[in-house]
Amino acid sequence: MTSPRSARLQLDENLQLMQAGSVMRKVKSRSWKKQRYFKLQEDCMTIWYKSKKTGNTKSTFSISDIETVRDGHQSEVLQSIADEFEPELCFTIVFHGRRGNLDLVASTPEEAQCWIQGLEKLIETVTNMDQKELLDQWICDWFLKADKNRDGRMNFKEVQDLLKMMNVDMNEHHAFRLFQMADKSESSTLEGDEFVLFYKALTQRDEVLKIFQDFSKDGKKLTLLEFVDFLRQDQLEVDNTEEFAMDLIARYEPSETAKKLHALSIDGFLTYLCSPEGSIFNVSHDLLYQDMTQPLCHYFISSSHNTYLMEDQLRGQSSVEGYIRALKRGCRCVEVDIWDGPNGEPIVYHGHTFTSKIFFKDVISAINKYAFRVSEFPVILSLENHCSVEQQDTMAQHVKSILGEKLVTSTLDGRIPVSLPSPEELRGKIILKGKKIGRLQDCSEERPEDSYLGEISEEDDGGEMDEENIRNEDKKRSKKSKDRLSQELSDCIIYCKSVPFESFKHSRTHYKVYELSSFTEYKARKLVKEPGNEFVRHNTWQLTRVYPTGLRTDSSNYNPKDMWNVGCQMVALNFQTAGVEMDLNDGLFQQNARCGYVLKPLFMRNVETSFNPDLPQDTDGYSPVNLSIQVISAQQLPKVENSKEGSIVDPLVRVEIFGVPIDQSKQETKYIDNNGFNPMWYETLQFKIHVPELALVRFVVEDYDKTTRNDFIGQYTLPFKSVKSGYRHIHLLSKDGTKIPPATVFVYIRVTETANPAEETQG
C-alpha cells in the first residue's frame, strides 16, 4: 500500500542512500559511543536501527516524531567529543515533546549531509501534509502494522487483528460483511485500494452525513447557497460569508466537477469540518491579533522556571536543550541559576544538588541563537546570581559580547521611564532581570566607590511552608555574610530591577515602574487571598514573577490560573514537566501567533480597576455568558500507553473550565464500552462563565476504569475567547502537548448571553 508521504516524494539520491542504510555511531556520552545500523524504510516514514553486533532490531521512530535536525556539535554530548570527531561528521535528531535527542556521528561528511538533508526533506513533507493526507497516512501506517507477512494484502484474520489494534470492537458478522463488500477482486484478501474502501465503510460518519443532509436539498451535494446557509446558521460565520464559502470549496472539495459548480460533496464537507477553519480554535487567533504597543506589565508573559533542567531538581540533567525547547515553545522569560565555576567560568545548575552543570556562556550562546526563532518579542533573562564579584564581571562580559546589540543596556530613549516600554518597542531585544546597585538614574551619574552589599539572589529554594519556617529563614539570612554585586553586571539591569516585596502600600510609595518583585507560589497564594483587589491593581503598573516552591523537587507545577486571575505577568512553570498546568500554559499562549505575550483584559490594565476575582459581579461591564457543549462523537482515539494486548478503550469526555473561583467547574459524559474508534455520545454539558475574558476550556478524553484511576487518552486546552461556535472538531494532543492525528472529538458549541446578569449579584 502506497504511503501518501512516499507518493509525494521524489526519491532523490539522499533518500536512496538512506534506504540502503548506514552504519553510524550513536553517542550518549564521552564514554558511550556504539555503532548502529540505520535504515530508512521503503515507506519513507520510518527509520529503524539495530545493533551491529547482535543484529537485533533496537528501535524504530517515525519521521513525524522528529521536530528538527541540527548539524555539527550542537548538543552537550557532541560538544564533549569535539576533540575526537569533526563537526562535519556530527548531527543531532531532535524529537517532539520531551523525548531525548539522538546524537549521531557518520563515517564521512558526505554521509552526514545525506542524512541531514534527507531528514530535512522528509520533515518538510510531513509538516506540509493536510488533514486528508494525515488521515491517509494513518490508514497506511495501520495497514503496514497489520500486514504481518508483508505481502501487501490482508486476509480477514489480519483485518480482525487490525480492528483490535485500532480500538474497534466490532461484531464479527458486520466486519465480515464490510470485508466482502470491499473485496472487489473476490480474492478473500484486501489490497491497497480495497483496504481504503473497507476503511471508509468502517469510518462512515453518520453524524456528519445527517448535518449535511439537513442543508442539502438533493442529499448529494451542498450548493453554494446551501453551504452559505450552513455557515451562517450553525457556524455563526457572519463576515463575507459567500466569499468565505467559495474559498473553502476551492480548498477542500476533492471533486473538480463539484468545484466548478461551486458545490460541496460530503467528502469536501467532512474535509472542511476537519480543517483549521472547522476547528474549535478561532483560526484568526493564530495570527498576531492583539495590540502590542502597551507597557510590558499589561501582558501575560510565557515564563519558565529552572529552564536549564530536563528532569527533576535533585539529580536531573542540566542542558542548553532546556532553553532551546522553551524558546521554541514561545517562552519569553527564562531562568538562569549561576554559580562560581572552574577556571573563572560561571556555571549553571541547581545549587546544592546533584544536577549536572553547564557553562553560563553556552547558555547565553543558545539563547542568542534561538531567542527570536518563534517570536520577535523581547526575552527576559531572570538571573539567579550566586557568584563572586569576579565571576559576575565575567557574566557581564559574556552577555555583552555574545548578545551584542540585542542586549538592553540603557533605556530606549535615554530617559528614566515613567512607564515600561511595550513588546513592540522591544522587538528583538533581550532584557536582564536581577539586582541592581542604586537607582536607574545613578547609571549616568558618578559611580559609588564600593560595590553594593546585600542579597544578590532573590529566590529562596527552601520553600516557604509556615510561619516558623519563615522565621528560621530570617535568622539564617541575618547570620549570612553579605554578598557583593558587580557594578558591570548591575549596569546591565535596566527595565527589570529585582526588589524585595514588603506590602502593596510600600510598593506604591517607594518603587518605580522598572522595579519588580518575585514570589514563591506559597507567598503569591497568600497575597491572592488578601481581601480587596490590591494585587490586581499592583499588577497594572508593576511586573510580578511567581515561581514554584523549592519543595517541588520532582519539578511538578502549581496551578498558574490562580496567579493569572490577579494579573501576575510572569507565572513561571517547569516546562519540562507535562500535566494540566502546562496544558493551561500552552492553551493560554496558543493565541496571538504563539508569540509568548497575551494582552490582559481591559479591567486588569487600569490602575483604578474595581476588578476582584472573588467578586466579579462588582466589576464594571460584568456580563456572564452561558456555554453549551454538545459532545457528539470521537474519532480514531489512540490506545492507552502500556495497555493490555487486545484491550479496547472505554472513552469518556470531560470538559473543565479554569477561570476565576466562581467559574471553576467540570462535567463529563458517560463512558462508551469498547469503542475508541468512533464512539458516539450526543450529550450536552452546560456551563455559566462569569468572566469569559479569563476563562480557559480544557477537553480531556479518558479511558474509564471502574477499579482504578481512568487512563489519559488526549486533551486540548484553549482560551474561552478563542472558542468558535457551531460544529467543530477538537484535534487532541498527547500528554506532552504534541499532536496525535487523526484523533478528534466532534462537538456542537453555543455561547449565549445570560438573561439577567443582575440576578447574579442578588444570588
Side-chain angles (χ1 to χ4, degrees):
M1 186 174 182
T2 308
S3 154
R5 185 179 304 158
S6 51
R8 281 177 60 151
L9 280 168
Q10 291 293 311
L11 267 186
D12 61 17
E13 193 180 339
N14 288 334
L15 297 182
Q16 286 171 359
L17 286 167
M18 288 166 72
Q19 287 186 342
S22 300
V23 175
M24 294 187 280
R25 284 182 176 84
K26 179 182 174 183
V27 186
K28 285 189 178 179
S29 68
R30 190 166 173 81
S31 58
W32 197 104
K33 302 181 284 283
K34 299 199 175 170
Q35 289 197 322
R36 295 284 181 266
Y37 178 65
F38 288 84
K39 186 175 190 292
L40 174 68
Q41 296 194 282
E42 283 178 21
D43 58 10
C44 289
M45 53 170 240
T46 314
I47 288 168
W48 63 269
Y49 57 98
K50 64 182 180 180
S51 163
K52 193 159 182 293
K53 239 182 220 171
T54 62
N56 295 332
T57 297
K58 288 290 183 187
S59 193
T60 63
F61 55 87
S62 169
I63 298 298
S64 54
D65 295 333
I66 305 173
E67 183 189 315
T68 190
V69 184
R70 300 193 194 123
D71 59 354
H73 299 145
Q74 289 201 57
S75 71
E76 281 101 354
V77 170
L78 292 176
Q79 281 166 8
S80 74
I81 58 165
D83 57 344
E84 209 177 329
F85 298 101
E86 294 296 317
E88 293 78 19
L89 300 175
C90 303
F91 63 99
T92 301
I93 296 175
V94 180
F95 294 99
H96 288 292
R98 292 167 177 82
R99 179 173 172 176
N101 295 348
L102 181 59
D103 290 303
L104 298 172
V105 181
S107 305
T108 64
E110 293 73 25
E111 186 177 58
Q113 275 308 305
C114 158
W115 278 86
I116 291 164
Q117 291 170 8
L119 287 170
E120 283 172 345
K121 180 175 182 175
L122 294 172
I123 294 164
E124 187 186 2
T125 305
V126 173
T127 308
N128 294 330
M129 285 170 95
D130 61 28
Q131 190 66 24
K132 184 182 181 305
E133 287 172 315
L134 285 169
L135 187 59
D136 289 347
Q137 183 64 55
W138 188 80
I139 301 168
C140 184
D141 290 350
W142 280 114
F143 184 90
L144 291 166
K145 277 183 196 171
D147 183 15
K148 299 283 190 223
N149 58 6
R150 294 280 182 272
D151 64 352
R153 39 179 86 227
M154 289 173 60
N155 59 36
F156 185 61
K157 170 72 174 71
E158 285 177 315
V159 165
Q160 283 180 297
D161 292 343
L162 172 66
L163 292 179
K164 279 192 179 140
M165 287 159 68
M166 290 171 98
N167 257 332
V168 186
D169 184 22
M170 185 178 280
N171 173 288
E172 190 174 329
H173 294 296
H174 180 56
F176 189 61
R177 190 169 58 77
L178 293 180
F179 180 89
Q180 286 182 309
M181 179 275 298
D183 180 18
K184 300 293 186 191
S185 62
E186 298 182 0
S187 62
S188 297
T189 59
L190 301 183
E191 294 178 51
D193 289 344
E194 293 175 333
F195 178 73
V196 172
L197 195 63
F198 169 77
Y199 173 82
K200 285 196 167 163
L202 192 66
T203 55
Q204 184 172 303
R205 297 280 301 275
D206 291 337
E207 76 279 31
V208 172
L209 189 60
K210 182 179 180 305
I211 300 160
F212 181 82
Q213 288 174 341
D214 283 346
F215 283 86
S216 167
K217 195 174 179 185
D218 66 3
K220 292 176 185 172
K221 67 179 183 304
L222 288 176
T223 64
L224 180 60
L225 289 179
E226 287 168 344
F227 188 35
V228 166
D229 283 346
F230 168 75
L231 291 173
R232 283 180 181 153
Q233 291 171 34
D234 271 328
Q235 306 300 77
L236 302 190
E237 303 284 4
V238 289
D239 298 329
N240 304 321
T241 321
E242 196 162 318
E243 202 178 302
F244 182 49
M246 288 178 72
D247 177 52
L248 292 174
I249 291 168
R251 278 194 287 153
Y252 299 123
E253 174 51 54
S255 159
E256 289 301 323
T257 310
K259 264 189 203 176
K260 283 175 189 161
L261 296 169
H262 299 309
L264 202 59
S265 67
I266 180 65
D267 284 346
F269 184 64
L270 181 55
T271 306
Y272 149 66
L273 285 175
C274 292
S275 74
E277 287 80 7
S279 159
I280 190 169
F281 182 78
N282 187 338
V283 76
S284 68
H285 288 192
D286 267 332
L287 309 171
L288 191 72
Y289 73 99
Q290 294 182 339
D291 176 8
M292 302 306 288
T293 63
Q294 308 243 348
L296 280 182
C297 54
H298 286 182
Y299 297 84
F300 295 120
I301 303 170
S302 180
S303 303
S304 160
H305 176 63
N306 288 351
T307 315
Y308 48 89
L309 285 181
M310 302 296 285
E311 300 158 45
D312 67 67
Q313 300 187 21
L314 291 180
R315 296 175 182 277
Q317 180 197 357
S318 302
S319 172
V320 296
E321 191 64 40
Y323 292 94
I324 296 169
R325 289 186 180 191
L327 292 166
K328 288 184 88 171
R329 281 177 87 162
C331 181
R332 298 288 88 189
C333 174
V334 296
E335 185 184 35
V336 195
D337 276 3
I338 318 106
W339 302 77
D340 281 353
N343 306 319
E345 278 297 342
I347 52 172
V348 173
Y349 82 113
H350 202 247
H352 312 302
T353 66
F354 297 103
T355 59
S356 60
K357 301 170 176 67
I358 49 179
F359 284 115
F360 175 73
K361 63 181 179 184
D362 292 340
V363 168
I364 299 304
S365 294
I367 291 168
N368 181 52
K369 188 169 183 182
Y370 288 93
F372 305 109
R373 293 270 180 103
V374 167
S375 168
E376 295 178 337
F377 295 108
V379 170
I380 299 167
L381 304 193
S382 182
L383 301 181
E384 278 309 306
N385 175 7
H386 305 274
C387 292
S388 61
V389 172
E390 293 73 25
Q391 294 213 10
Q392 288 178 55
D393 285 341
T394 305
M395 284 166 57
Q397 288 152 22
H398 284 326
V399 292
K400 286 194 277 194
S401 65
I402 296 169
L403 300 178
E405 290 187 2
K406 293 175 190 168
L407 182 67
V408 174
T409 53
S410 63
T411 57
L412 295 182
D413 57 5
R415 296 178 185 162
I416 304 307
V418 290
S419 68
L420 285 167
S422 68
E424 181 60 46
E425 291 172 301
L426 289 163
R427 266 180 190 260
K429 294 294 184 184
I430 294 174
I431 304 163
L432 297 194
K433 178 186 91 63
K435 299 280 177 163
K436 183 175 183 65
I437 300 169
R439 300 165 305 166
L440 196 51
Q441 52 263 51
D442 296 336
C443 290
S444 55
E445 297 167 10
E446 195 66 36
R447 289 186 173 191
E449 281 297 307
D450 197 9
S451 293
Y452 164 86
L453 290 173
E455 295 285 334
I456 56 170
S457 169
E458 58 183 310
E459 284 202 7
D460 164 26
D461 281 327
E464 303 171 59
M465 287 310 290
D466 52 37
E467 292 300 326
E468 187 182 354
N469 199 327
I470 294 164
R471 279 198 297 274
N472 289 340
E473 286 301 323
D474 288 341
K475 282 179 196 165
K476 276 187 215 164
R477 279 185 185 150
S478 62
K479 283 181 189 167
K480 188 176 167 187
S481 64
K482 296 294 183 185
D483 297 299
R484 297 178 72 189
L485 186 60
S486 137
Q487 183 71 54
E488 195 176 352
L489 185 62
S490 169
D491 288 349
C492 297
I493 306 293
I494 306 299
Y495 289 118
C496 290
K497 175 188 171 184
S498 297
V499 291
F501 179 82
E502 290 184 30
S503 69
F504 293 124
K505 186 179 178 185
H506 178 272
S507 295
R508 263 197 320 273
T509 313
H510 294 93
Y511 289 152
K512 304 285 186 285
V513 291
Y514 59 82
E515 296 174 319
L516 75 149
S517 300
S518 288
F519 307 107
T520 65
E521 59 176 284
Y522 173 79
K523 175 71 173 169
R525 216 172 273 121
K526 283 182 79 169
L527 293 172
V528 166
K529 286 176 183 167
E530 280 194 11
N533 74 335
E534 284 201 85
F535 209 170
V536 178
R537 289 186 174 199
H538 175 84
N539 287 323
T540 62
W541 68 276
Q542 193 178 46
L543 287 168
T544 292
R545 179 174 174 270
V546 182
Y547 59 93
T549 171
L551 294 176
R552 293 183 181 274
T553 53
D554 59 350
S555 291
S556 60
N557 283 309
Y558 56 91
N559 184 345
K561 199 72 199 66
D562 302 335
M563 314 309 169
W564 292 328
N565 285 341
V566 291
C568 296
Q569 299 88 350
M570 294 184 279
V571 181
L573 297 177
N574 289 301
F575 271 47
Q576 72 272 30
T577 307
V580 61
E581 299 84 9
M582 273 309 296
D583 293 345
L584 295 175
N585 197 78
D586 290 343
L588 175 67
F589 292 104
Q590 180 185 353
Q591 61 185 313
N592 209 28
R594 297 177 187 265
C595 77
Y597 285 83
V598 167
L599 188 63
K600 296 197 283 188
L602 185 60
F603 56 76
M604 293 186 123
R605 308 196 307 255
N606 175 2
V607 183
E608 303 300 322
T609 181
S610 62
F611 175 70
N612 179 345
D614 290 324
L615 293 165
Q617 303 92 328
D618 297 345
T619 310
D620 293 341
Y622 165 71
S623 55
V625 296
N626 293 319
L627 169 65
S628 167
I629 301 171
Q630 185 185 41
V631 181
I632 300 171
S633 61
Q635 294 73 43
Q636 289 98 30
L637 298 175
K639 285 269 196 185
V640 171
E641 285 178 35
N642 306 320
S643 60
K644 285 201 241 42
E645 182 89 23
S647 69
I648 291 169
V649 300
D650 306 322
L652 62 83
V653 178
R654 185 168 61 253
V655 178
E656 302 170 343
I657 307 295
F658 291 85
V660 297
I662 198 172
D663 284 340
Q664 297 282 128
S665 61
K666 58 176 92 166
Q667 291 179 44
E668 64 188 36
T669 65
K670 63 180 182 295
Y671 67 91
I672 305 289
D673 267 323
N674 282 347
N675 189 349
F677 193 70
N678 56 357
M680 306 272 272
W681 287 276
Y682 279 106
E683 281 188 60
T684 300
L685 311 177
Q686 304 269 9
F687 301 91
K688 178 171 250 176
I689 299 181
H690 298 77
V691 187
E693 298 89 343
L694 285 178
L696 292 165
V697 187
R698 183 171 184 256
F699 294 85
V700 192
V701 183
E702 289 182 346
D703 178 14
Y704 173 77
D705 195 315
K706 57 177 170 285
T707 53
T708 60
R709 257 177 87 180
N710 293 351
D711 287 310
F712 174 90
I713 293 174
Q715 69 82 31
Y716 184 76
T717 308
L718 75 165
F720 171 77
K721 296 297 273 183
S722 297
V723 171
K724 288 282 279 181
S725 292
Y727 289 102
R728 302 288 167 185
H729 277 95
I730 297 159
H731 297 269
L732 294 176
L733 304 175
S734 70
K735 228 174 220 155
D736 272 341
T738 52
K739 292 176 182 173
I740 41 174
T744 51
V745 176
F746 188 47
V747 295
Y748 182 69
I749 305 273
R750 271 290 172 265
V751 177
T752 52
E753 290 181 11
T754 54
N756 184 7
E759 289 171 10
E760 287 296 320
T761 46
Q762 292 157 13

